[in-house]
Amino acid sequence: KPAMQDLDPDNAQRRTIAAFFDRWAQSRGRFAALGRYYLRDLARFYRQNISPGSRILEAGCGAGDLLAALSPAPGSCGIDVSPRMVEQARARHPGLAFDVMDAESMRVERPFDAIVASDLLGDLVDVQRFFASARGALAPGGRLYVDFYNPLWEGMFQMASWIGLRMPRPVQNWLPFGAVESIARLEGFELVRATRAVLMPVWIQGFSELL
């Protein structure tokens, strides 16, 4: 399948984002190892909220590790704009389905019980368009799970990227919680629960878990 279809004038920007992650795909494993404490906490959070055997779509799946950790039902799928990230996901998790697709214009054959968008909002061109697309891909009663960074972390994350402790990212949308909730409500979502989950995204013995 083509990486993306020519759907609108913003497509060039989306291609730029896809190309950026293609360039960094081979380095993903090293950065994942550096962030394993944070990634482990994310997986634990989602396992507490999504039942095993649910039909799940992960938007912005990267190498597919989070989707695999959720024990999804057959027919679950991970999507990403980066063809090289999708290649890695297919190689790492051959029992799961992965596809190259723009999360802002998802086209699905069957709706999903849950859609997961982990650390995705900052990389989107049009956040509202993503919420509209996600609503159309959910089954009745299905839920959208979104996690994103507090804008207060912006400076810390930029510094971590500069010194090689975090994978560089394209220009980010640093959205406060209220803005995300408002955009979601415009597309017909109702907030079920919100939580602030991680204060210390790296492991420091005797300190991180205390926080």
Side-chain angles (χ1 to χ4, degrees), residues 131-152:
F131 279 106
S133 180
R135 182 169 171 79
L138 278 171
R143 290 189 176 184
L144 170 63
Y145 297 84
V146 177
D147 70 75
F148 54 97
Y149 298 132
N150 189 315
L152 295 176

Side-chain angles (χ1 to χ4, degrees), residues 54-75:
S54 298
R55 181 175 161 84
I56 303 170
L57 172 67
E58 185 186 2
C61 65
D65 296 341
L66 178 57
L67 179 63
L70 301 182
S71 303

Side-chain angles (χ1 to χ4, degrees), residues 90-129:
R90 289 170 176 166
R92 290 174 63 81
H93 308 288
L96 297 174
F98 297 94
D99 205 351
V100 180
M101 189 182 299
D102 180 3
E104 296 175 42
S105 54
M106 290 182 282
R107 301 289 185 270
V108 300
E109 295 180 359
R110 290 178 52 201
F112 292 85
D113 303 319
I115 295 177
V116 171
S118 180
D119 188 19
L120 174 68
L121 297 189
D123 297 320
L124 296 175
V125 176
D126 187 333
V127 176
Q128 184 169 348
R129 181 173 174 172

